[in-house]
Amino acid sequence: MKVYLAGPEVFLPNAREVLDRKIALTRRYGFTPISPGDLEVPATDTKRSKGLAISSINERLMLGSDMIIANLTPFRGVAADVGTAFELGFMCARGCPAYAFSNTVSDHFARVARHYDGQIRSDTENRPRGPDGLAVEDFDMVDNLMLDGGIEVRGGVIVTREVEAAGLFLDHQGFEECLRMAATRFLR
């Protein structure tokens, strides 16, 4: 079974090292890893052309994958990396099994509340809203309801752990727990 390894690790200064550890763990559990960090990007004339080439290659990699494990650890804000969210949605739309992990245990609502410095109030319909008037999801979910829902509907799980800031994108225990559960479900 080919597993697409989605997450913001590709942005790390030591991306190759981190991805290689995830690839080795994936193989150890009996899966074939498909990592976007393995792509070979062709030379292009513009930055935009390069970005489009990477997007196209990643889509082809996902089309050749059977399952996804996504790193939903909040990235550059209160939510998962937007590219990872796209990849998770892409694979869910294909009907593929989906698993995810987050190296923080705080749910989406708690992270948004911190973003608003706790300034969330209920409106007249008892819907929580930030000081900007925007509604805030409060469903006891790890991230946006579409991410949690897509994983759960496909029989997957989101593993959460609290990891210190220095290891937020380096700790692979949640990832390994996803591999363990998927191996039990699909390979035994």
Side-chain angles (χ1 to χ4, degrees):
M1 228 178 149
K2 295 178 183 174
V3 180
Y4 187 81
L5 309 178
E9 292 86 352
V10 296
F11 297 108
L12 296 173
N14 60 338
R16 182 73 270 150
E17 174 189 333
V18 173
L19 291 170
D20 285 347
R21 283 188 304 195
K22 287 179 79 173
I23 288 167
L25 281 169
T26 304
R27 286 189 179 121
R28 191 170 97 203
Y29 280 87
F31 295 106
T32 301
I34 305 297
S35 175
D38 290 341
L39 57 86
E40 196 153 319
V41 182
T44 60
D45 294 337
T46 66
K47 290 190 283 187
R48 180 173 176 76
S49 295
K50 184 174 185 171
L52 291 172
I54 293 169
S55 175
S56 177
I57 292 167
N58 284 345
E59 285 195 22
R60 284 196 311 271
L61 290 173
M62 287 187 286
L63 287 170
S65 299
D66 305 303
M67 179 173 74
I68 185 170
I69 298 177
N71 181 350
L72 299 182
T73 302
F75 183 71
R76 296 182 178 152
V78 298
D81 167 54
V82 68
T84 301
F86 173 88
E87 292 167 334
L88 180 58
F90 187 99
M91 294 294 284
C92 285
R94 291 187 53 230
C96 296
Y99 289 81
F101 67 97
S102 177
N103 283 334
T104 183
V105 295
S106 63
D107 67 15
H108 189 258
F109 179 81
R111 294 192 309 271
V112 173
R114 277 195 306 275
H115 170 75
Y116 285 131
D117 294 322
Q119 301 299 310
I120 294 180
R121 304 287 180 257
S122 294
D123 64 15
T124 58
E125 296 171 3
N126 207 30
R127 188 167 186 188
R129 293 194 179 274
D132 53 11
L134 298 176
V136 178
E137 287 186 17
D138 187 11
F139 299 110
D140 295 328
M141 294 188 173
V142 173
D143 211 289
N144 177 278
L145 64 89
M146 295 303 293
L147 302 183
D148 283 63
I151 292 165
E152 190 165 319
V153 165
R154 283 152 191 84
V157 174
I158 303 176
V159 174
T160 60
R161 303 182 64 256
E162 193 61 39
V163 174
E164 291 185 26
L168 212 52
F169 297 102
L170 305 175
D171 187 294
H172 293 110
Q173 291 182 58
F175 174 70
E176 190 169 4
E177 182 62 24
C178 289
L179 286 167
R180 192 174 3 266
M181 287 187 285
T184 298
R185 180 176 170 194
F186 297 108
L187 301 180
R188 300 207 167 119

